[in-house]
Amino acid sequence: MNNNMINITLPDNSVKQFSESVNAIDIAKSISEGLARNVLSATVNGEVWDANRPINTDSSIKLNTWNDREGKDTFWHTSAHLLASAISELFPNAKFGIGPEIENGFYYDIDFGDNQITPEDFPKIEEKMRELVKAETKIIRKDISKADAIKMFSDKGENYKVELINELEDGTITIYKSGKFTDLCRGPHLLDFSPIKALKILTLAGAYWRGDEKRKQLTRIYAITFPKKKELDEYLNFLEEAKKRDHRKLGKELELFMFSDKVGQGLPIWLPKGAMLRERLENFLKKVQKEYGYLQVITPHIGDVKLYKTSGHFQKYGADSFRTITTPNEGEEYFLKPMNCPHHAEIYKNKPHSYKDLPYRIAEFGTVYRYEQSGELHGLTRVRSFTQDDAHIFCTPEQLKEEFCKVIDIVLYIFKTLKFENFTAQISLRDPSNTEKYIGSDEIWEQAENAIIEASQERGLKTTTVIGEAAFYGPKLDFMVRDAIGRKWQLGTIQVDYNLPERFELEYTGQDNQKHRPIMIHRAPFGSMERFVAVLIEHTGGKFPLWLTPEQFIILPISEKYEIYSKKVLSLLANYDLRGTIDERNEKTGKKIRDAELAKIPFMLIVGENEEGKGTVSVRRHGEGDLGAMTIEDFAKMVDQEVEKELK
Ligand SMILES: [Zn+2]
Ligand SMILES: [Zn+2]
C-alpha cells in the first residue's frame, strides 16, 4: 500500500483511498458533482468540520447536506455569522455575545449600547445580509494564540468575546473572518455565504449575558435562513399555523387557564373549563392506573429539609431554587416540594415489604415547585408550579421488564386515545467505557438495560438508542411525539433508579429470607398536566376529543320565547351525562352559530317553534354543518357512541 495514501471510510463502510490533505469537497466530488455542490460540512471521526478542512489521517467521514441535522446546524450557525457581519456594518458600536444555531434557525445576542433596535430595522439588516451573500463573502478560518486573540478582541472593545476567551484553556484558538467581521468560534462553517438563498429576521427578545440575571441584558435577534426560497415560504406558513394554535392564545380564548402577576409569575391558574378538562384527564389516567394495580396517594406540598438532604434534591435544587420556609420553632426548615419521589420513598418505608407484595405501585397527581428565571417562563410549558402525573413502582430486578411493558402499554393507550399517532421513543443507556460514573453493579445495569430494550421491542416501539445519556442512577426511556403540524415534543418518561432506594435504605425480604434493595421506577406518561395540556391544545388546535372537551354542546334558542324549552333540553341532556350550556344572549342565531364555531364547541343545538313542537333539536356539527333534527335521546346516543369509540 502506498504510504502517502489515506483511507477514508464512508458511512456504508466502503473505503476510498486519497492522497494526503484531501477534504470533504474532494471526497464528495469523487462520488458526484451534485453531491459536492450540496455538501455543507463533514463529520470527521465524530467531529463536525468545515468542508474544505484538510484531512491528513485515516478517517471515517460522513458528508453533511441540508438533509442532515449537522448540515442544517452548519448552515444556520454560518447564518449567525452573516447576521453579525451585517449588523457590525450597520451598527459599528454593537458588541457581540454568542450566536448559536437552534432547532429552527439561529440567534445572536448583541449589546447595541444606546442604539436599541426595533423590528423596523429588520428590512435594512436583511438587505445588508443579502448584499454579503451576493458578494460571495468568504469565511476564513484562522488559528491564533490566546494572547493574540485577547489583544485583538480587546482592541475592538468586544468585552463579551474577551470574557469568553479568558475562560478558554491556553493554546491555539480559532477565529473566523467574514467580510469586516471576525468572530471567536470553533466552527464549522460554510465556505462562503452563497448557499444562503432565503433569509428572514423573526423576532427580538431580551437575554441576560450568560443567562445571569445580574449581568447586562442583551438583545437576542432570532432569524432563519434556507437554501431555497420555497422552504422559507413554507416555514413562514408553518409559523402562522403555529401562532393560531399557540396554547397561550387559545387558553385565553377558550377560558381554560390564566396567569396573574399578583398571584405570581409562572404560577398557572386553571379556570372552570380548564379545571374540568384537567379533571377528566386525571380521571382517565386514574382509571387506567387502577386497572394496572396502582394505588393512589396524596402527599403535602412541602417537606422537611432533612427529607431532601436524604434524597439529594436539596443539593440539586437547593441553591438555585426557592428558599427554605422556616417556622417560629427553632431549627425547623421546610422546602417547597421539587419532586414527589422522596415522599413516596417514605411511603414505601411505612411498612415492611416481602417479595410477595412487590411490585408496589403508588401514584399521585403531585404538584411540585421549581424556580425558573422569569425570562424563561412560557405559558404552561415553562412554569414554576406544575402537577406531575407521577407514580413510583418498587419492584425486584426480575420484575423490571414486565413493569416496563406495562408502563409502555399505558403510554401507548394514552397516545392512541389522544390521537398522537406519530411518536418515537429514546432509550438512554450508560457509557460502558466509563462505568465508575454510575451507581449500581454491572450486573444490575445489564439487567435493566436489557429489560428496557426487550420491552420496547416486544411492544413494537420505534426507538433510537443513545449511549451515555442515562442518568448516573439508571437507564431510561423517553417518548417524543410529533404534533399535527410536525413539531416535536417530549412527553412521558420511564426512569429506572438505583439511587433513591439506596439513599432511603429501602428493603424487601427476598425468597431467600435475606434483605434486598428494590428497584424504583419513576414514570409520568403525561409528564405534567400543564405541559401535556399545552401540547394537547397545540396539537388539536383547541378542538379536543368529545370525551375531553369542556363543552360538548351549546343550545341556541332562536328567540327568548324558547328559553323554557332550552332549559328542559339542557336538563334532559344532563341526565345523559352530557355537558353543555345555553346561549341566552339576545343575538341573532347566525351570530350565535359563529361564536360557537369560534369557541370550537362540537355540537350546536338550535331550538325554535318547530323543535319545541316535536320535542327535537336541530343539530349542527362544528366545522361540518347541519346534521338535521334529532330527538334528545337520539342526540345523546350519538354523542355517547362517539365517546365510547374514542376511549376504546
Ligand atoms: Zn462560528
Ligand atoms: Zn420520581
Side-chain angles (χ1 to χ4, degrees), residues 557-570:
I558 62 170
S559 84
E560 58 193 25
K561 275 202 301 193
Y562 308 104
E563 226 169 76
I564 293 171
Y565 180 61
S566 295
K567 288 199 171 120
K568 190 178 151 202
V569 173
L570 185 68

Side-chain angles (χ1 to χ4, degrees), residues 77 81 176 183 185 187 189:
H77 174 72
H81 283 256
Y176 281 85
D183 207 347
C185 193
H189 304 94

Side-chain angles (χ1 to χ4, degrees), residues 462-585:
K462 234 200 299 172
T463 57
T464 53
T465 303
V466 203
I467 310 284
E469 274 292 295
F472 77 92
Y473 54 86
K476 64 174 176 166
L477 184 68
D478 291 313
F479 288 87
M480 324 277 184
V481 299
R482 275 201 190 274
D483 71 10
I485 57 170
R487 290 169 302 174
K488 227 177 176 182
W489 302 83
Q490 204 219 303
L491 289 178
T493 296
I494 317 174
Q495 168 85 58
V496 178
D497 184 357
Y498 307 118
N499 180 43
L500 282 189
E502 200 65 46
R503 295 185 84 113
F504 279 87
E505 299 175 342
L506 306 184
E507 290 177 342
Y508 68 91
T509 309
Q511 217 159 353
D512 55 4
N513 232 355
Q514 303 292 309
K515 298 281 185 210
H516 299 272
R517 287 258 181 272
I519 293 170
M520 191 168 176
I521 302 173
H522 311 253
R523 46 107 280 180
F526 291 155
S528 80
M529 301 312 289
E530 285 73 11
R531 188 178 165 76
F532 191 77
V533 168
V535 176
L536 196 60
I537 291 171
E538 304 215 356
H539 179 52
T540 60
K543 279 179 260 170
F544 301 109
L546 205 49
W547 69 270
L548 188 60
T549 198
E551 280 175 65
Q552 295 167 315
F553 65 86
I554 184 161
I555 302 169
L556 311 179
I558 62 170
S559 84
E560 58 193 25
K561 275 202 301 193
Y562 308 104
E563 226 169 76
I564 293 171
Y565 180 61
S566 295
K567 288 199 171 120
K568 190 178 151 202
V569 173
L570 185 68
S571 84
L572 284 171
L573 288 173
N575 288 341
Y576 286 105
D577 216 14
L578 300 193
R579 309 180 287 278
T581 51
I582 305 171
D583 185 346
E584 288 174 322
R585 293 174 307 160

Side-chain angles (χ1 to χ4, degrees), residues 428-457:
S428 299
L429 305 178
R430 71 174 174 166
D431 177 0
S433 64
N434 200 1
T435 53
E436 63 284 1
K437 233 176 68 185
Y438 305 90
I439 83 150
S441 69
D442 287 351
E443 189 198 344
I444 214 164
W445 269 85
E446 205 167 298
Q447 198 166 17
E449 294 188 338
N450 287 338
I452 296 182
I453 294 165
E454 284 168 25
S456 307
Q457 274 168 356

